[in-house]
């Protein structure tokens, strides 16, 4: 498998093609059994119907406020926004560079770092003649995509879905239909040895998604021969304090807040003692807790998903073309479940 992948990469990237062509060649070779349609989005023919949108963004700066309003609304709902709209959301593209276009205070337009300047009229004429020279950034690329290839649904990763949500108002103002957003399938690919460890450590395939410290605490509580929680004592404590508070109130009603303050301090002390009991008993299960840490790090490298860290090549070397056929067989695009394959 390693030799096969090496030949595929060498054929694609040593054939004198540019980076985009080489990548298309490699991906098409890998997925030819599944079948792909690959287009060159920088084609002048495809950019031509996008001319009105290019002008609206570059010359009228229509996109920035619409995206910012939606981003602010998503932030208030607790979502971490992924993209930041600029006044102009296009790059100037040639065979040798791709640089941002900015509007200067004197009304001219500059291509950054290239010493290239345009008047508004010159830029408008250039958009009409050579729309392929205007490359959308992350804010305008989805709009371009839906103009030239309208979709019923767009399938994307978690971060992609959030940044597409940021663009909804921008689609509305350009009167371009906004597709249904569908989270793509995700998976962890592991082996019987690792899954065996999961079960030997009294964990489940569902529980391993929980934070590592939670897994360790739960493991100790399940395995310990001691009673580590002070729940019963806390109930007795609450009962005693209810009596104390009532007695204090009979003597002087103003003593109620003082009794509550003492109760809060003692409750905090009991909770801290419970944590110390758990921490002390963890030392009795040190080896198992280390295994849980290693297991968690193996399945979630650097605390994230496997797909965000590992290159597909290491999996391809191990499984070959079966990697793709098995993923295709087990994934259901509308099931909305995280898959563990082993």
């Amino acid at each position: 498998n390693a030799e096969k992948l090496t030949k595929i990469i060498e054929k694609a990237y040593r054939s004198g093609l540019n980076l985009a062509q080489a990548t298309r060649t490699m991906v098409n070779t890998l997925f030819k059994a599944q079948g792909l349609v690959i287009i060159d989005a920088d084609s002048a023919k495809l950019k031509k119907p996008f001319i009105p949108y290019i002008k609206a963004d570059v010359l009228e700066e229509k996109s920035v406020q619409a995206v910012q309003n939606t981003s602010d609304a998503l932030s208030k709902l607790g979502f971490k926004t992924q993209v930041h709209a600029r006044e102009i959301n296009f790059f100037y593209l040639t065979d040798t560079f791709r640089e941002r276009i900015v509007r200067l205070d004197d009304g001219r337009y500059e291509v950054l770092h290239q010493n290239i300047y345009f008047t508004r009229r010159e830029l408008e004429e250039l958009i009409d003649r050579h729309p392929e020279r205007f490359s959308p950034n992350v804010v305008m690329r989805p709009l371009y995509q839906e103009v030239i290839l309208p979709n019923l649904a767009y399938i994307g990763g978690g971060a992609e879905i959030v940044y597409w949500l940021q663009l909804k108002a921008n689609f509305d103002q350009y009167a371009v239909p906004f597709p249904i957003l569908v989270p793509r399938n995700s998976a962890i690919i592991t082996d019987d040895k690792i899954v065996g460890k999961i079960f030997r450590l009294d964990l489940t395939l569902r529980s391993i998604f929980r934070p590592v410290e939670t897994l360790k605490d739960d493991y100790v509580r399940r395995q310990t021969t001691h009673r580590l929680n002070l729940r019963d004592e806390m109930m007795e404590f609450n009962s005693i304090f209810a009596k104390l508070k009532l007695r204090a109130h009979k003597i002087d009603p103003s003593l109620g807040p003082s009794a509550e303050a003492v109760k809060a301090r003692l409750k905090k002390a009991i909770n801290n003692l419970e944590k110390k009991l758990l921490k002390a008993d963890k030392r009795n299960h040190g080896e198992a807790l280390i295994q849980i840490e290693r297991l968690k790090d193996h399945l979630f490298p650097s605390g994230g998903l496997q797909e965000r860290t590992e290159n597909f090549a290491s999996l391809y070397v191990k499984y070959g073309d079966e990697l793709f056929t098995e993923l295709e067989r087990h994934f259901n695009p509308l099931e909305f479940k995280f898959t563990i394959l082993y």
Side-chain angles (χ1 to χ4, degrees), residues 32 39 42 57 60 65 79 96 98 106 118 125 135 151 158 161 167 180 194 242 245 252 339:
K32 60 186 176 184
I39 66 165
D42 288 326
D57 182 83
E60 307 300 331
Q65 198 56 54
F79 289 95
T96 56
R98 181 177 184 255
D106 63 8
F118 304 104
E125 291 175 352
S135 175
N151 289 301
I161 295 295
L167 308 178
I180 299 166
I194 294 297
K245 186 177 179 182
D252 184 348
T339 303

Side-chain angles (χ1 to χ4, degrees), residues 53 142-143 146-147 150-151 164 168 171-172 174-180:
Y53 306 94
L143 188 81
E146 296 303 318
V147 167
N151 289 301
W164 272 74
K168 176 67 168 66
F171 274 74
D172 291 344
Y174 287 116
V176 174
F178 191 73
I180 299 166

Side-chain angles (χ1 to χ4, degrees), residues 198 200-204 206-226 228-229 231 274-275 277-279 281-282 285 288-289 292-293 296:
I198 290 174
R200 282 198 299 276
L201 289 165
D202 196 21
L203 303 173
T204 67
R206 187 181 294 273
S207 70
I208 57 168
F209 288 89
R210 303 173 75 185
V212 65
E213 290 304 320
T214 302
L215 292 178
K216 290 159 71 173
D217 290 350
D218 289 348
Y219 177 85
V220 172
R221 289 191 177 101
R222 288 194 304 272
Q223 301 297 322
T224 187
T225 56
H226 307 287
L228 299 177
N229 74 70
R231 196 177 300 115
E274 188 176 82
K275 291 177 183 176
L277 292 175
L278 179 63
K279 184 177 180 181
D281 202 29
K282 278 184 176 180
H285 303 276
L289 299 185
I292 290 174
E293 280 186 6
K296 185 75 177 177

Side-chain angles (χ1 to χ4, degrees), residues 82 157-160 184 301 304-311:
Q82 302 290 325
E160 283 182 294
R184 64 162 167 77
L305 294 180
Q306 185 186 56
E307 66 189 34
R308 305 288 291 184
T309 304
E310 294 193 20
N311 188 286

Side-chain angles (χ1 to χ4, degrees), residues 14 21 25 50 82 84 109 116 119 138 141 146 158 166 184 188 211 229 233-234 239 242 271-272 306 328 340:
R14 287 186 172 179
Q21 292 167 332
T25 299
F50 201 55
Q82 302 290 325
H84 174 70
Y109 294 84
I116 297 175
T119 65
V138 68
R141 184 201 56 77
E146 296 303 318
Q166 290 179 251
R184 64 162 167 77
I188 289 175
N229 74 70
E233 289 78 2
M234 187 64 77
S239 176
N271 287 334
N272 286 337
Q306 185 186 56
E328 187 177 27
I340 300 176

